[in-house]
């Protein structure tokens, strides 16, 4: 290892890596060295400090955020807004980015989460295929092939592409589908040390769905969107099997309200539902985690009996292309998760821990909302647009998502 690399390791208290060198082949040593050189240890040190601190919300100037309820729009207004949105789509000024870089740990499926298959009334359906079905329906309805970008992680990139090749893109135009990879950050132990995985490399993991803004800039996707004049970009996740991401109403409403960001929401099922809700904090739009929302606020109702903080963020986000460049340069805050991760001990033996042992750092896509004064929020019906696959069993599982899918398509 180069003297300078060793110095870096010492400076950031990572010299334990040197102890592994005798167990590594020359090739592995070289790869490790390259990895060390690419890691921003200064940033990692700051993240470690963050992980050790107790997480609390610095400012709590929270207030209600206005939203539009789709059900309460009269027919004429709805049609008016949809006409505006339809024109954008059929003029080819619309693109979709699907975030598929997550690890899907709760589902525990081998391989990219989008390759998980549900047994539906329309036959076996992979999660990715359900997204393609929506794109194909839009192709028929608007007579355009919407460009589709899929964000992967380094971990699942090759497997994702292989899957699409194998399935022949489920009949969508291959030339309109592009894959790009998001950034990563090292996992660190409770002592602030990076760890080695079975492959003798420093273990890194995708830096959260908030990594999307930087990733679209670095990968050239943003440039392509600008060149092909995709004015509006919908960013969704692939694990909501009722995800309606080609929605002229949302587009029309956002344009009418003259905002550059929009999201769909569903009403909270109960005040205690474990999901983030929209609010305003210091007058800016924000999604606040259920863990951060004081109980009293979670239960608060307005004069119509509606929860004041009752609009769930469901990962259905629309952006005007013009703001994505700005967002690519923004440093979003990182959130810390404590996770289980296998590692090599000092004798280079692989250990699979029973309990969480590492900090993982993730940025969230919705933390970018606070950069803007306002945004459109369209409340939609849960049974029509929200059926996520998150857990292996129980709530938000393949079973519940399939039941909701079947009910909808019936
Ligand atoms: P989740 O936060 O639900 O994570 O992602 P997940 O990876 O699907 O599942 P768990 O938490 O490990 O069980 C919501 C969406 O954001 C994407 C996911 O692929 C999913 O579409 N995502 C998440 C990324 O693209 N990158 C990330 O780093 C994290």
């Amino acid at each position: 290892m180069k003297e300078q690399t060793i110095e870096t390791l010492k400076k950031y208290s990572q010299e334990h890596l040197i102890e592994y060198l005798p167990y590594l082949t020359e090739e592995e040593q070289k790869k490790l060295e390259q990895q060390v050189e690419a890691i921003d240890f200064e940033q990692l040190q700051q993240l470690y400090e963050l992980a050790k601190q107790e997480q609390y919300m610095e400012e709590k100037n929270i207030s209600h955020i206005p939203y539009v309820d789709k059900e309460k729009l009269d027919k004429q207004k709805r049609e008016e807004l949809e006409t505006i949105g339809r024109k954008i789509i059929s003029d080819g000024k619309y693109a979709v980015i699907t975030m598929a870089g997550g690890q899907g740990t709760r589902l525990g499926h081998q391989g990219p989460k989008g390759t998980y298959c549900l047994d539906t009334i329309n036959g076996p359906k992979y999660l990715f295929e359900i997204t393609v079905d929506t794109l194909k329906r839009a192709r028929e309805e608007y007579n355009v092939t919407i460009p589709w970008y899929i964000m992967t992680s380094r971990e699942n990139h090759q497997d994702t592409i292989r899957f699409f090749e194998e399935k022949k893109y489920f009949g969508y135009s291959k030339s309109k589908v592009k894959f790009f990879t998001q950034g990563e950050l090292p996992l660190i132990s409770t002592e602030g040390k990076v760890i080695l995985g079975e492959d003798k490399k420093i273990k890194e993991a995708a830096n959260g769905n908030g990594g999307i803004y930087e990733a679209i800039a670095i990968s050239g996707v943003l440039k392509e969107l600008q060149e092909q004049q995709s004015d509006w970009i919908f960013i969704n996740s692939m694990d909501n099997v009722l995800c309606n991401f080609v929605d002229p109403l949302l587009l029309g409403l956002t344009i009418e309200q003259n905002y550059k960001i929009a999201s769909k929401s569903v009403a909270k099922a109960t005040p205690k539902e474990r999901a983030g809700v929209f609010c305003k904090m210091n007058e800016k739009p924000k999604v606040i985690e259920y863990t951060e929302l004081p109980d009293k606020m979670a239960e608060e109702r307005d004069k119509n009996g509606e929860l004041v903080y009752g609009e769930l963020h469901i990962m259905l986000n629309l952006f005007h292309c013009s703001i994505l460049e700005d967002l690519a340069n923004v440093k979003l805050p990182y959130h810390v998760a404590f996770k289980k991760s296998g590692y090599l001990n000092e004798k280079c033996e692989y250990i699979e821990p029973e309990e969480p042992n590492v900090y993982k750092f993730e940025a969230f896509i919705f933390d970018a909302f606070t950069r803007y004064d306002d945004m459109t929020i369209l409340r939609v019906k849960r049974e029509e647009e929200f059926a996520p696959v998150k857990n292996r069993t129980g709530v938000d599982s393949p079973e519940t998502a399939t039941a909701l899918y079947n009910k909808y398509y019936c």
Side-chain angles (χ1 to χ4, degrees), residues 12 21 112 115 192 197 207 227 280 286 339 364 385 388 400:
Y12 293 102
L21 295 179
T115 66
N207 58 1
E227 280 167 5
K280 277 207 164 181
K286 178 164 176 80
K339 300 245 174 179
F364 295 160
E385 304 211 19
T400 57

Side-chain angles (χ1 to χ4, degrees), residues 16 40 129 188 221 246 355:
H16 63 292
D40 180 349
E129 183 181 2
I188 50 174
V221 167
V246 187
E355 299 295 330

